[in-house]
Amino acid sequence: MKQLLTGDEAIARGAYEAGVRHAAAYPGTPSTEILENIANYDEIYAEWAPNEKVAMESAIGASMAGARSMASMKHVGVNVAADPLMTFSYMGVNGGAVLVTADEPGMFSSQNEQDNRNYAKMGKFPMLEPSDSQDCLDMVKAAYELSEKYNVIFMIRMVTRVCHSKSLVEVGERKDVPVKEWKPDPMKYVALPAYSRILRVQMEDRQRALEEASENSPFNYAEYTDELRDGKKTGVIASGASFWYAKEVFGDTSSYLKLGFTNPMPKNMISEFCSRMDVVYVVEEDDPYIEEFCQRLGFAVHGKDTFPPYGEMTPDVLRRSLTGDTLTEVNYDHSLVNKRPPSLCAGCPHRGLFYRLGKRKDIMISGDIGCYTLAAGAPYNAMNSTVCMGASISVGHGAQQVFNRAGVKRKVVTVLGDSTFFHTGVESLINTVYNQSNTINIILDNRITGMTGHQQNPGTGYTVKGDSTIAINIEELVKAIGIRHVKVIDPNDLKAVDEALDSFMDLDEPSVIITRWPCVLKKFSQEDLSEFEGLFQTKDVVDPEKCIGCKLCQKTGCPALIFSAEDKKVTINRTDCVGCDVCKQVCPTGAILKESEAN
């Protein structure tokens, strides 16, 4: 039977058919939907972990206990998971183990464009690169068989287009793979230096065996043609989504070597292919991973000397790089198109906080990864740094220590979301307390993991499968860490925001402000409805007689507020408005009212 699946859905289906029993992940575009779809299979235990390191360790433990397991994450998440991953590569598996990394050439929703194929090379574990959804399913199933055969974790390197594009997939039945017996084996699973030195030698033996597997893998194959391109036998070597991009551009006038098993590389297959060509192009996204391997074999291939060293290798990019041509485009005057940067949603609980925070010029604001990173731009201009998940608190601590020792009277305010706090913010706050910094640390508790599409987290009270669980209380947690000054506020109340900030501005020890209000797009739970009385029940309207067109309300950045250039008045789009009242508090003439008041 065939189904139309995204790559992420196909990975989940492959895990199901392969007999996987345990899956763990931390949400992050473009990998989020993998675990969300795995959670739909009753046969697989699935969990959102607080961060990628914990997810990786959970999958490692399940593998040790004898079950086939999977960890999935976006590319920067592998940085967090690298510590256990590198050691587990030494140890090997009991039940088969797979790590799925979703890389993001082009950085659509990521802070960098790292190429995680380098992790496979560094960690000496095998890697597969799917090109479409059928590859995703097939490679997952093959990875578990090979993982157990060669006693090693497999990495599957996805990219955004493969994750989110749909193609037809031939689906099958689930393979019933029993849990293997667990036997104590300190030599394998206790990473003492004396044992690891032995495992390190075994890694090299395994690498040689995997080289043979790569040479004979059905995921590596050549397609030859007798046609000539510009009078020469032209070959194209490609992996992942780049294979299909290349075929669209190079067409029938080139031969192709599709590489799907890319660590270890099939050097004999590559050598044979290159030897038969007059000119060879390597099409790959991000680093010259394949290109440099070909060059080490002695072949003068064209790669990053022809194509960009960054971004997606889409057909238009390849055409422009090869010939300078592009497909026919619709011509228009670009100067007439207004720039439309992304904005916080109407009714977003972060809006009021950043509106007030951006008014303060005597502070440094250390930000983090989440929806609220949008506060860095207009109209808030309320974020001065963003590095990685959880960095806001520790970066802010480092900056505050410098200011304090230099005698600079500047307060550092750190800002991060609830899920990010659980991810890597807790340790950062411990560091702040332990080393006696005096930052103001704001935790935006919108009751869900917002940016990646409303996944549960340790503070929501629900698991990925929707089961009730213990909800970690952030207020109690920060007090247990050692924070003695804590305020919980409604971020839509601008006066409360100002008062909380003012009360902590002169403190000589760290403080925490928790802004607690649910994400406007969240499917509200019964707990939400009971805790937040009158949640978004009455919308706001503008009295045109009182509106003076000052546009101060629009400085809150709410997309529901619309200014008419014709009559110089603001109106509120009723469909978008949720009645958060932030604009109502800003209006100097009282022109913004509740619908009930206007009627």
Side-chain angles (χ1 to χ4, degrees), residues 80 88 111 226 229 313 437 464 488 536 577 592:
V80 183
F88 189 49
Q111 66 268 42
D226 293 328
R229 182 182 178 87
M313 295 299 105
S437 190
V464 65
V488 181
F536 306 136
C577 178
I592 300 177

Side-chain angles (χ1 to χ4, degrees), residues 77-264:
V78 179
N79 300 332
V80 183
D83 193 358
L85 172 62
M86 291 297 153
T87 300
F88 189 49
S89 178
Y90 275 54
M91 294 174 172
V93 304
N94 187 15
V98 168
L99 166 65
V100 182
T101 170
D103 289 12
E104 196 165 44
M107 295 178 285
F108 297 100
S109 60
S110 304
Q111 66 268 42
N112 72 29
E113 198 183 38
Q114 70 189 46
D115 188 335
N116 278 357
R117 294 180 298 177
N118 296 301
Y119 270 114
K121 180 180 175 183
M122 176 172 62
K124 296 184 179 292
F125 47 80
M127 173 176 61
L128 300 172
E129 289 188 70
S131 295
D132 54 30
S133 297
Q134 186 67 62
D135 267 358
C136 290
L137 186 145
D138 294 341
M139 286 184 177
V140 168
K141 294 168 68 174
Y144 282 101
E145 298 296 328
L146 293 169
S147 171
E148 292 174 352
K149 178 179 180 180
Y150 292 100
N151 184 32
V152 64
I153 184 172
F154 258 73
M155 185 170 87
I156 296 179
R157 189 241 189 176
M158 305 274 280
V159 294
T160 305
R161 298 295 178 182
V162 176
C163 287
H164 290 161
S165 297
K166 289 196 172 190
S167 59
L168 284 174
V169 178
E170 185 71 41
V171 299
E173 299 300 319
R174 178 174 170 84
K175 181 178 181 179
D176 186 17
V177 180
V179 175
K180 290 180 167 52
E181 181 184 1
W182 175 79
K183 296 179 181 178
D185 190 352
M187 180 73 76
K188 180 174 183 177
Y189 291 126
V190 180
L192 292 171
Y195 298 159
S196 293
R197 280 192 287 270
I198 297 171
L199 295 174
R200 179 68 182 85
V201 175
Q202 293 175 1
M203 285 180 76
E204 294 303 318
D205 295 335
R206 183 183 67 209
Q207 195 77 354
R208 285 187 285 273
L210 284 165
E211 286 175 3
E212 183 178 350
S214 180
E215 294 284 358
N216 297 315
S217 173
F219 301 125
N220 295 331
Y221 60 86
E223 297 177 357
Y224 290 102
T225 181
D226 293 328
E227 298 287 332
L228 300 179
R229 182 182 178 87
D230 297 329
K232 297 178 180 178
K233 290 182 179 179
T234 301
V236 179
I237 304 175
S239 66
S242 296
F243 173 70
W244 295 113
Y245 300 152
K247 293 203 81 171
E248 181 175 330
V249 173
F250 284 88
D252 297 332
T253 60
S254 299
S255 298
Y256 298 91
L257 178 59
K258 180 182 185 294
L259 297 180
F261 196 138
T262 51
N263 193 55

Side-chain angles (χ1 to χ4, degrees), residues 366-501:
S366 177
D368 223 294
I369 305 293
C371 302
Y372 45 87
T373 313
L374 295 173
Y380 311 107
N381 302 310
M383 195 166 289
N384 302 122
S385 71
T386 300
V387 180
C388 64
M389 294 282 285
S392 56
I393 296 177
S394 35
V395 166
H397 159 74
Q400 187 71 77
Q401 293 288 44
V402 170
F403 292 150
N404 292 349
R405 281 166 171 71
V408 176
K409 240 183 117 61
R410 184 177 297 279
K411 197 74 165 180
V412 178
V413 177
T414 76
V415 184
L416 79 172
D418 50 347
S419 181
T420 312
F421 177 68
F422 292 125
H423 181 277
T424 32
V426 178
E427 300 92 330
S428 295
L429 190 59
I430 290 172
N431 181 61
T432 295
V433 173
Y434 174 59
N435 288 295
Q436 301 179 47
S437 190
N438 59 331
T439 51
I440 298 175
N441 305 281
I442 303 177
I443 302 170
L444 310 173
D445 184 9
N446 64 352
R447 318 305 294 152
I448 203 71
T449 307
M451 182 176 65
T452 51
H454 290 191
Q455 292 76 35
Q456 306 297 338
N457 66 55
T460 66
Y462 292 92
T463 69
V464 65
K465 288 183 177 283
D467 299 326
S468 294
T469 186
I470 294 172
I472 305 300
N473 185 298
I474 296 176
E475 185 178 1
E476 293 179 0
L477 177 57
V478 300
K479 287 180 178 178
I481 287 172
I483 297 292
R484 297 188 294 182
H485 301 273
V486 183
K487 286 185 182 291
V488 181
I489 64 171
D490 173 359
N492 298 308
D493 185 341
L494 301 186
K495 183 179 178 182
V497 170
D498 285 336
E499 289 177 346
L501 289 167

Side-chain angles (χ1 to χ4, degrees), residues 281-353:
Y281 293 94
V282 177
V283 182
E284 57 185 326
E285 292 177 325
D286 292 337
D287 294 345
Y289 176 86
I290 299 172
E291 177 186 350
E292 289 179 352
F293 185 85
C294 293
Q295 291 169 343
R296 287 196 298 273
L297 293 176
F299 297 101
V301 299
H302 296 287
K304 299 306 179 184
D305 62 341
T306 304
F307 309 114
Y310 50 80
E312 295 182 294
M313 295 299 105
T314 51
D316 58 319
V317 171
L318 299 183
R319 286 190 194 93
R320 194 179 303 113
S321 299
L322 286 167
T323 65
D325 296 332
T326 59
L327 295 180
T328 302
E329 298 178 352
V330 176
N331 294 316
Y332 60 94
D333 187 347
H334 290 257
S335 66
L336 297 177
V337 180
N338 291 327
K339 293 182 178 179
R340 299 188 62 176
S343 64
L344 298 174
C345 301
C348 173
H350 308 327
R351 185 181 305 285
L353 170 78

